[in-house]
Amino acid sequence: MESVRTCVGCRTRAPRSALLRVVAVDSAVVPDTRASMPGRGAWVHETSECVESAIRRRAFVRALRASGPLDTQTIEKYLQRTKG
């Protein structure tokens, strides 16, 4: 049985394989496509709606327990590359 995670954008539960893990590296949100980077991670659907919702609600900052604002340009560029 596959483990289940909650998307920080839409707050729905989904299998781990359906979500993208992200981590904070030097105050930037970075996609962890292999889900193997060290540190605390957050899970989000690979859709612009979920990522934008997480950014708007500051969910990445809370989930990754960051002490300040996070740069989300890397994850936004990753989504544009994979979807467009």
Side-chain angles (χ1 to χ4, degrees):
M1 186 159 93
E2 189 174 9
S3 57
V4 175
R5 301 287 184 257
T6 301
C7 173
V8 295
C10 64
R11 302 293 299 152
T12 59
R13 293 167 50 102
R16 182 177 160 164
S17 61
L19 300 171
L20 172 68
R21 182 176 188 259
V22 295
V23 295
V25 176
D26 297 329
S27 73
V29 178
V30 178
D32 181 11
T33 55
R34 292 158 93 203
S36 62
M37 292 177 75
R40 185 166 187 83
W43 297 84
V44 66
H45 285 108
E46 287 189 57
T47 64
S48 57
E49 293 84 13
C50 284
V51 171
E52 289 170 7
S53 176
I55 293 168
R56 189 173 51 252
R57 295 179 28 248
R58 295 180 37 92
F60 288 130
V61 175
R62 279 192 309 276
L64 298 173
R65 296 184 182 168
S67 58
L70 293 172
D71 180 15
T72 58
Q73 289 181 357
T74 307
I75 188 73
E76 291 169 337
K77 288 178 184 175
Y78 171 80
L79 278 180
Q80 289 173 356
R81 243 189 342 246
T82 59
K83 301 297 178 191

